[in-house]
Amino acid sequence: MMSSNTGPTLRFLCPNGHLGFAPIKVPSFELGVATRPDFILADSGSDDIGPVPLGQDTSTSPKEWQRHDLEHMLLAARKLGVPMLIGSAGDTGTNSRVDMYVGMIREIAAQHGLAPFKLGYFYSEVPKSYLRAKMSSGERVEGLDGRGDLTTHELEATDRVVAVAGVHPYMELLRRGADVIIGGRSSDAVIFAAPAILAGYPEPLAYYLGKVLECASFNAEPYAGKESVIGEISHADVKVTAMHPGQRCTVASVAGHAMYERSNPFYEHVAGGMLDMTDCRYEQYDERTTRVTGPRFVKADKVRVKLEGSGKVGERYMGFAGVRDPYTIARIDEVIDWARQQVRERFGEPATGGYELHYQVYGRDGVMGEMEPLRNSPGHELGIMVFGVATTAEMAEEVALTGTRQMFYARLPDVKGTAGGVAFPLDEVTRVSPAYRWTLNHTVAVDDPLELFELHTTEAGVSAVGSGGR
Amino acid sequence: MAGKTLSELAKTIRSKNAGVDRITFDVIFRDRENYELVKGSGVLSRDSVARLYRIDPARITDFVNYDPAFAIKFTILRSRPSGSAGDSDIFGAQQYAPLLSVEVPVD
């Protein structure tokens, strides 16, 4: 175990940067557990996965993988007698995902005959009526990242909204004695910051600790996901150590991680303030440990909570076609225009007809679209994905099928091949997930940082007399 | 004066979502020397990146030289939020490729 000259410390074990997305690597987790950390924690959600899971209230991760990680973490935490904290349950942190994880914790506890423990959880979903009321009282729901204020129209187009929690619900549940916490949607860093702040450690270091640990081994090198790391906070610094014997937390890997997945490497916004990493200093402490000092935390005058919202656009079908004739490849936009025109003749313009038709031309600019510098140098063959979106499944199917099949009939003036303009690996279109879009990337001001989050505590585990924790 | 590509000089060149409306790009160097070389060369700037990606410079929301990590970092506003119908890179993970072949003058 590491020692420090900086007085008392707390040590935090993080095995996974997005619990459930891929299973943890158990050996490095066990190495971490063997050092007897004070907390075992992981974030389980992300807005990276697109708006579909939030919109339709599903997970993108398989239940078995979620359960695998929860089981390892719970058994270790109960054996050590230390708190376990999970944030953004089930990818989206919606209420149904929190309930699902709470259910899994109960099942795992019962299955292993764990002694009773206190299980805390909180919900992050925000009713649209709450936001409607805020807006009609003149309160602005402010857009982030260049978005305008939320409009009633966009709110009504939204199916589900989650608020992104700060440290507050975690600290309150810890105060109530929770041994295990399952959180709704939360900022990744706060899961780690909350216990440290509650224990009296400085806020800047606590938030920095969370920031550097939330993606687990992504802060170490060489690159390897799902390996455990340990963060140690004192009153003067944060130290972070890779648990996998082949990984090291270096100045470069730790400093580099500060900029991962954010617009700017210096600032991290959470409900209640902003972590400022401008003056962070990084030192190699030992071979596998980097020491960090100097973060600041700027408290907000008024707490603003981030909101994520997803709204359904329509049902969605997908088709696929390939092209090999160089003449056709050079005129692929004309081929697509022809197919679009056939859809237009059937349903009218997309806006008035109530549909969307999208083409992704792989081999030309399928990955980058308009940002592709080489879009004028297509490959010798193209793969074209076609997406039709409409209110009803029947119409979405017809849009996608027309948009796909009509490429076969495109009328190019000098084409030699007159028996079909594209190649079909399947002469059909297939139903895929409905199309959703991010309708809310906004913030709302709150008087009480807990007002958007509904807290619960209960018991889990098996009591001595053998009755269930319920 | 010879040239080297960014992919020869940098340790890491990557892109990833920064929230649902932006994609952020990191060019990270192993040592100060290569970092300062590229930083000083001016081949990466708001304007050059906007030209490379064929976008309005106004869509580049951040452009930062980040000394602690020997990194140059910039962020682009997406044309539509991640995962919307028609978006082909939900994670924004494959948008960095044009940076690999950017030429850097080397003495």
Side-chain angles (χ1 to χ4, degrees):
Chain A
M1 245 202 286
M2 290 179 294
S3 65
S4 180
N5 303 323
T6 43
T9 68
L10 285 177
R11 298 172 64 258
F12 296 70
L13 173 62
C14 178
N16 198 332
H18 179 171
L19 186 151
F21 201 66
I24 63 168
K25 300 295 185 192
V26 176
S28 69
F29 177 66
E30 292 300 341
L31 287 173
V33 171
T35 71
R36 306 190 68 82
D38 299 294
F39 298 93
I40 299 178
L41 325 83
D43 156 61
S44 180
S46 176
D47 58 22
D48 261 356
I49 53 179
V52 174
L54 176 61
Q56 61 182 14
D57 202 9
T58 53
S59 289
T60 192
S61 303
K63 214 169 173 177
E64 270 314 300
W65 297 358
Q66 295 169 331
R67 194 190 149 89
H68 171 270
D69 284 15
L70 291 174
E71 184 168 22
H72 279 285
M73 293 176 72
L74 181 66
L75 294 182
R78 296 320 304 145
K79 195 174 102 190
L80 294 174
V82 301
M84 160 178 166
L85 286 80
I86 303 292
S88 299
D91 303 317
T92 60
T94 59
N95 298 359
S96 77
R97 305 298 96 182
V98 171
D99 288 341
M100 184 176 77
Y101 273 24
V102 166
M104 285 188 197
I105 293 288
R106 286 186 189 287
E107 282 167 25
I108 296 163
Q111 184 193 329
H112 291 274
L114 297 182
F117 57 90
K118 202 170 220 182
L119 174 56
Y121 57 98
F122 71 86
Y123 294 128
S124 290
E125 274 186 43
V126 179
K128 279 162 53 171
S129 56
Y130 170 92
L131 294 174
R132 219 175 276 129
K134 281 259 181 192
M135 287 159 72
S136 48
S137 75
E139 189 95 51
R140 290 171 58 207
V141 179
E142 293 177 7
L144 289 168
D145 300 335
R147 291 187 180 218
D149 290 356
L150 183 64
T151 61
T152 311
H153 179 265
E154 277 297 89
L155 181 61
E156 295 315 321
T158 300
D159 286 285
R160 193 161 286 98
V161 183
V162 286
V164 183
V167 290
H168 319 91
Y170 291 96
M171 289 176 68
E172 181 55 28
L173 286 171
L174 287 168
R175 274 189 208 105
R176 295 184 191 177
D179 300 300
V180 174
I181 297 178
I182 298 297
R185 187 73 176 113
S186 320
S187 288
D188 300 351
V190 307
I191 306 158
F192 306 83
I197 294 170
L198 192 65
Y201 288 86
E203 282 192 333
L205 291 170
Y207 282 106
Y208 184 85
L209 171 86
K211 176 69 207 74
V212 77
L213 284 184
E214 48 105 350
C215 276
S217 52
F218 274 5
N219 67 19
E221 61 182 321
Y223 174 83
K226 310 300 169 186
E227 300 289 355
S228 287
V229 292
I230 282 194
E232 179 177 28
I233 189 171
S234 75
H235 284 268
D237 63 12
V238 168
K239 297 195 197 82
V240 54
T241 308
M243 286 297 109
H244 185 285
Q247 278 197 304
R248 304 163 62 220
C249 288
T250 65
V251 169
S253 70
V254 173
H257 183 68
M259 62 184 168
Y260 185 62
E261 292 182 321
R262 48 224 357 102
S263 300
N264 185 298
F266 302 122
Y267 311 118
E268 169 85 356
H269 295 268
V270 296
M274 179 195 72
L275 174 66
D276 182 345
M277 295 176 274
T278 310
D279 294 328
C280 278
R281 286 180 303 280
Y282 301 84
E283 303 154 54
Q284 197 68 45
Y285 180 74
D286 64 30
E287 204 206 337
R288 287 158 64 198
T289 304
T290 285
R291 173 177 189 256
V292 188
T293 52
R296 288 190 302 255
F297 188 73
V298 184
K299 260 201 153 97
D301 298 334
K302 177 90 179 167
V303 174
R304 296 197 70 88
V305 180
K306 183 181 169 189
L307 304 169
E308 296 172 344
S310 174
K312 187 170 178 178
V313 179
E315 301 299 331
R316 177 160 57 172
Y317 275 74
M318 180 183 79
F320 188 87
V323 186
R324 183 63 179 78
D325 182 337
Y327 177 83
T328 309
I329 288 173
R331 286 157 189 80
I332 196 63
D333 285 332
E334 291 169 52
V335 173
I336 291 171
D337 285 346
W338 167 269
R340 281 191 189 281
Q341 182 56 30
Q342 308 313 303
V343 177
R344 212 176 278 124
E345 285 173 15
R346 170 80 172 89
F347 293 112
E349 292 296 330
T352 49
Y355 70 93
E356 291 183 22
L357 176 59
H358 299 284
Y359 290 88
Q360 285 160 15
V361 183
Y362 291 95
R364 185 186 68 174
D365 59 356
V367 173
M368 297 188 55
E370 52 156 22
M371 296 208 298
E372 175 57 74
L374 298 179
R375 72 187 306 278
N376 293 323
S377 328
H380 74 278
E381 67 178 11
L382 302 178
I384 305 173
M385 277 179 95
V386 185
F387 291 96
V389 178
T391 317
T392 66
E394 292 71 22
M395 184 173 165
E397 182 176 18
E398 195 179 341
V399 168
L401 190 58
T402 306
T404 305
R405 191 170 286 165
Q406 282 293 333
M407 288 195 289
F408 195 79
Y409 300 112
R411 298 177 183 178
L412 296 180
D414 294 319
V415 72
K416 302 285 181 192
T418 54
V422 296
F424 292 125
L426 287 169
D427 187 18
E428 61 186 278
V429 291
T430 185
R431 191 170 187 174
V432 295
S433 61
Y436 284 82
R437 65 189 175 87
W438 290 112
T439 50
L440 267 85
N441 178 22
H442 288 72
T443 64
V444 65
V446 293
D447 297 322
D448 174 355
L450 288 175
E451 77 180 62
L452 294 174
F453 307 99
E454 188 187 313
L455 276 52
H456 298 268
T457 51
T458 180
E459 285 246 315
V462 182
S463 67
V465 291
S467 66
R470 267 169 215 273
Chain B
M1 194 163 63
K4 279 195 170 174
T5 62
L6 215 46
S7 104
E8 291 173 282
L9 295 170
K11 173 180 74 168
T12 299
I13 301 177
R14 67 188 179 194
S15 62
K16 187 75 197 284
N17 287 347
V20 303
D21 291 321
R22 294 173 174 181
I23 298 175
T24 194
F25 296 73
D26 300 336
V27 181
I28 309 175
F29 299 89
R30 201 171 292 285
D31 50 48
R32 178 175 298 279
E33 192 186 347
N34 281 328
Y35 168 60
E36 295 293 347
L37 172 74
V38 174
K39 196 170 112 176
S41 74
V43 299
L44 290 184
S45 67
R46 280 181 186 266
D47 284 343
S48 74
V49 163
R51 273 198 306 280
L52 182 63
Y53 284 96
R54 309 149 48 98
I55 58 170
D56 183 340
R59 274 178 57 190
I60 300 175
T61 63
D62 299 79
F63 194 102
V64 178
N65 295 315
Y66 180 47
D67 295 344
F70 304 144
I72 299 171
K73 180 177 180 68
F74 60 92
T75 302
I76 289 180
L77 194 61
R78 282 172 167 273
S79 57
R80 66 185 89 200
S82 73
S84 299
D87 173 30
S88 54
D89 193 355
I90 292 180
F91 292 80
Q94 275 292 306
Q95 303 302 309
Y96 62 86
L99 294 169
L100 297 168
S101 51
V102 165
E103 290 271 346
V104 184
V106 181
D107 289 327

